[in-house]
Amino acid sequence: MNFEQMRLARQTFDEVMPIGRTVEWEGKVYHIAGMTLSGNRAEMYVLEIVSEEAEPLENGMAECALTESGVTGTSGDADRQERHTNRKSMKVVPAECPFFNIVSIKLGERELETGSANSGPLALNEGCAVDADSENLFLFYEMMRAGWELSEDSPFLTMDWNTLWLTRLTFRTEIEHLPVLDEKQEMMVKWGRRTKQHYVEMPVCLTVGEEAELNFVIADGRQGVCYINRVYPIDIWKENEEKFKNPRYLEIMTAEELEKQKEDFFRNLEQDCPRGMCYMGIEYECTLEGSLAFYDRAFLESEPRISQGSASVMMMLLRPDEPIGKHGLLQRGCVIQTPVAPEVRQLEAELFRFDEMFGESTEFVSLQPARRPER
């Protein structure tokens, strides 16, 4: 740290409005610290306590039984090794802050449409830009000067900054002054479509050509049933070779551009699924509203792969031909993106996660000061 970095990190605001209210969403506690206005751009700041087991993203940014088939499954092993695995990589990243899914808020008579949101640790790790760490210090200094404070019984008061994340919600609506809370001290929140992840981690043996019924329970006690209607190998190379033969490509690009796109695509595909190998496709129905994520169990227990050359993530989607399954429920698809030989007929997999889906909604959040317990 030096004075040049300090000068660059200092933030100046035209207006600062402390809110200082702790709220609970979906079982997690958040603290709405306040808002600032710089020019016509308003921002809201929200603190979140992150589990000590959670690890920030690189550079500090950003939750059985088979019937009739005779195959049974149990919940995830309790004695998994502590080494870094793909399973751990997918679970230690803090869940997305629900504020990311806000379409707009209304304070008093003014409705503000959200433009963007970003989230990261309040105290950045060693090796990260000092400026960003210092900006947060200046931000809360200005908040405190404007009257913001945490109550003595606040869970955020004594938490180390290494266990806190800060979300900045930037509003698209340009305003001249920050809105004023009305007498009810309520904030109207419009939510967009969003998902919530529930880790299931139930082993299952998938057999090509066979159906199965999986009974699972998520953390809040709700029970779900997954009807697997079809398991089959997908020749991803053949499918995409046929796709590139579609004459519509030449309506939007030249033959040379198409050839280059094919070369780039198949070069990246070779890293994920070598020619001659297949992915496993699953078509299923679920009694809970949402989608299921299946993974190869060996993949979950292995260490993350180091990409050769430029990194590429190719997500494969599967849309069943029939929208409604034999049980009268919406039929969905999942691709297990672990390469297998075409002759493989069984795969030791895992129903790893249930992604619950929520539609658009509106709710009112009380910003009344919490009543302190009587002594």
Side-chain angles (χ1 to χ4, degrees):
M1 184 68 171
N2 57 45
F3 286 109
E4 173 67 9
Q5 291 172 320
M6 182 177 180
R7 181 179 65 83
L8 293 173
R10 184 181 180 185
Q11 301 177 83
T12 57
F13 305 107
D14 296 318
E15 294 182 21
V16 178
M17 183 180 76
I19 296 177
R21 299 294 180 263
T22 298
V23 297
E24 182 176 332
W25 266 298
E26 300 176 353
K28 292 200 66 176
V29 176
Y30 302 89
H31 181 80
I32 305 175
M35 297 179 65
T36 63
L37 182 66
S38 300
N40 292 325
R41 190 184 71 171
E43 289 189 323
M44 176 178 285
Y45 306 92
V46 183
L47 289 171
E48 171 188 359
I49 298 175
V50 178
S51 169
E52 294 185 4
E53 295 180 358
E55 297 177 359
L57 297 171
E58 185 178 357
N59 295 328
M61 288 298 173
E63 308 211 328
C64 157
L66 295 180
T67 61
E68 300 183 8
S69 67
V71 183
T72 60
T74 60
S75 59
D77 298 337
D79 58 348
R80 291 193 183 96
Q81 299 180 5
E82 292 302 318
R83 64 189 178 87
H84 191 66
T85 62
N86 286 306
R87 180 191 303 279
K88 187 174 181 181
S89 294
M90 289 189 284
K91 291 182 66 178
V92 298
V93 177
E96 183 181 272
C97 177
F99 287 82
F100 277 35
N101 300 297
I102 290 178
V103 175
S104 67
I105 69 166
K106 186 175 182 181
L107 286 168
E109 297 300 320
R110 193 63 188 264
E111 185 170 355
L112 303 178
E113 182 182 353
T114 56
S116 63
N118 65 77
S119 184
L122 189 58
L124 300 182
N125 293 339
E126 183 179 354
C128 297
V130 177
D131 294 349
D133 206 1
S134 304
E135 284 182 6
N136 293 338
L137 184 62
F138 280 115
L139 168 64
F140 282 95
Y141 173 71
E142 294 295 336
M143 283 285 183
M144 293 176 70
R145 287 186 62 196
W148 172 80
E149 65 175 348
L150 291 169
S151 63
E152 292 295 328
D153 55 356
S154 170
F156 294 86
L157 185 62
T158 58
M159 293 295 295
D160 190 281
W161 278 25
N162 289 313
T163 62
L164 297 179
W165 275 52
L166 176 68
T167 295
R168 295 171 180 253
L169 192 64
T170 303
F171 298 96
R172 178 180 292 114
T173 307
E174 294 187 351
I175 57 176
E176 294 182 1
H177 299 284
L178 289 174
V180 178
L181 292 176
D182 59 21
E183 294 180 355
K184 296 181 180 179
Q185 290 193 303
E186 288 184 331
M187 177 173 68
M188 186 188 77
V189 178
K190 288 185 179 179
W191 299 100
R193 293 180 60 85
R194 62 195 191 279
T195 61
K196 180 181 179 181
Q197 296 182 342
H198 303 267
Y199 293 100
V200 180
E201 299 181 277
M202 186 177 74
V204 55
C205 181
L206 297 173
T207 303
V208 173
E210 292 189 9
E211 300 178 2
E213 181 177 317
L214 309 178
N215 298 276
F216 63 94
V217 181
I218 58 178
D220 60 14
R222 282 179 292 163
Q223 299 181 1
V225 181
C226 168
Y227 301 104
I228 295 181
N229 297 328
R230 189 182 176 201
V231 179
Y232 56 97
I234 299 174
D235 188 337
I236 199 67
W237 281 82
K238 182 178 179 181
E239 283 196 3
N240 282 281
E241 285 169 345
E242 291 298 320
K243 183 186 73 172
F244 280 116
K245 293 179 182 178
N246 191 326
R248 292 187 61 184
Y249 277 100
L250 294 177
E251 297 176 6
I252 58 176
M253 63 179 70
T254 65
E256 292 77 12
E257 291 172 334
L258 175 60
E259 190 60 32
K260 184 177 188 309
Q261 186 178 77
K262 288 170 57 177
E263 289 178 2
D264 292 342
F265 178 87
F266 287 116
R267 182 173 60 251
N268 290 328
L269 182 60
E270 183 70 34
Q271 291 191 41
D272 295 337
C273 183
R275 184 182 289 275
M277 303 292 278
C278 296
Y279 285 152
M280 198 69 78
I282 305 168
E283 296 181 8
Y284 67 89
E285 300 166 72
C286 184
T287 56
L288 296 180
E289 182 61 31
S291 60
L292 300 173
F294 291 83
Y295 287 91
D296 171 48
R297 196 156 195 235
F299 164 80
L300 290 172
E301 301 302 345
S302 63
E303 296 182 357
R305 185 191 68 182
I306 300 177
S307 299
Q308 301 296 323
S310 59
S312 175
V313 178
M314 303 180 68
M315 300 302 297
M316 303 298 172
L317 301 178
L318 174 61
R319 180 173 297 176
D321 294 332
E322 298 296 329
I324 303 299
K326 59 179 61 180
H327 300 89
L329 302 171
L330 181 65
Q331 189 158 233
R332 302 180 185 275
C334 176
V335 178
I336 297 182
Q337 292 185 213
T338 298
V340 296
E343 62 271 16
V344 168
R345 288 294 172 263
Q346 282 193 332
L347 181 67
E348 294 296 330
E350 196 168 291
L351 197 176
F352 180 67
R353 194 181 67 241
F354 166 62
D355 294 334
E356 187 173 11
M357 299 180 181
F358 299 90
E360 296 181 355
S361 63
T362 300
E363 70 173 293
F364 289 88
V365 180
S366 174
L367 299 180
Q368 294 276 5
R371 293 184 60 185
R372 297 193 181 186
E374 297 181 0
R375 301 200 177 190

